């Protein structure tokens, strides 16, 4: 009974925090803009991971560190459509046709704003770092611009 109440409460909080009751339609941008966004977002996430590893990653193995790089890429893939809602608002504020540099700036801002350090700490504290699998190695080996987002 307690578990059911907890699950219902978690679901209600999730619905209350999402601000939308409908599916966010997929938004597509031109390939050069998409590449600029991906490169800057992952660069920001990886900078945060490197800084976090320097402070807290002494006891992690090399495989666990690589798994955290996978977490960065998967986080970007998972939240891409939510980013696109915010990106569309930022592009609309420009008042002109966007350029690749505009998308690079917006991607860098996303990479800087997302507080992934909390995620890393949570995964390490709870021993939830995913074990390295082949699909993870494949995703890490891909160049950032070729990471699938759909």
């Amino acid at each position: 009974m307690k578990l059911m109440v907890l699950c219902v409460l978690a679901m209600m909080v999730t619905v209350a925090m999402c601000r939308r009751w409908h599916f966010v339609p997929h938004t597509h941008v031109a390939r050069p803009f998409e590449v600029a966004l991906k490169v800057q977002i992952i660069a920001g996430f990886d900078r945060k991971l490197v800084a976090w590893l320097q402070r807290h990653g002494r006891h992690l193995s090399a495989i666990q560190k690589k798994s955290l790089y996978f977490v960065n890429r998967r986080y970007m893939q998972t939240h891409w459509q939510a980013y696109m809602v915010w990106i569309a608002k930022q592009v609309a504020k420009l008042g002109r046709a966007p350029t690749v540099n505009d998308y690079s700036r917006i991607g860098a801002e996303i990479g800087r704003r997302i507080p992934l350090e909390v995620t890393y700490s949570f995964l390490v504290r709870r021993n939830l770092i995913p074990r390295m699998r082949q699909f993870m190695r494949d995703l890490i080996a891909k160049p950032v611009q070729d990471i699938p987002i759909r």
Side-chain angles (χ1 to χ4, degrees):
M1 186 65 177
K2 289 180 183 177
L3 182 61
M4 185 178 79
V5 170
L6 183 63
C7 290
V8 169
L9 179 64
M11 183 181 63
M12 288 172 40
V13 169
T14 302
V15 169
M17 295 301 292
C18 74
R19 297 186 197 158
R20 296 182 190 271
W21 290 93
H22 61 279
F23 176 72
V24 176
H26 293 287
T27 307
H28 302 285
V29 294
R31 177 75 178 158
F33 298 154
E34 181 182 305
V35 168
L37 285 168
K38 286 187 217 177
V39 167
Q40 292 300 321
I41 291 171
I42 291 297
F45 288 176
D46 287 349
R47 271 193 300 273
K48 286 184 179 186
L49 179 57
V50 166
W52 186 87
L53 286 173
Q54 287 175 347
R55 282 177 289 175
H56 305 288
R58 290 182 299 276
H59 62 280
L60 295 177
S61 69
I63 299 294
Q64 288 175 321
K65 291 176 184 177
K66 262 193 160 178
S67 293
L68 289 175
Y69 282 99
F70 167 77
V71 168
N72 282 350
R73 279 140 181 82
R74 183 62 79 184
Y75 192 89
M76 183 198 62
Q77 284 180 316
T78 303
H79 297 285
W80 184 261
Q81 289 308 317
Y83 298 156
M84 288 308 297
V85 171
W86 188 76
I87 290 166
K89 290 177 185 175
Q90 294 298 313
V91 169
K93 286 180 185 177
L94 290 174
R96 59 176 170 78
T99 64
V100 174
N101 289 334
D102 294 328
Y103 280 96
S104 291
R105 181 186 51 78
I106 293 169
E109 191 170 343
I110 291 170
R112 197 173 47 250
R113 282 186 173 199
I114 305 294
L116 284 176
E117 296 89 349
V118 176
T119 304
Y120 307 142
S121 297
F122 179 81
L123 290 173
V124 170
R125 265 195 328 264
R126 306 272 192 232
N127 198 20
L128 293 174
I129 298 175
R131 296 181 189 262
M132 186 59 73
R133 304 275 190 239
Q134 187 59 44
F135 74 92
M136 296 164 78
R137 288 186 189 97
D138 294 343
L139 186 64
I140 292 171
K142 286 185 179 185
V144 174
Q145 57 268 21
D146 293 336
I147 293 175
I149 52 166
R150 292 172 187 79

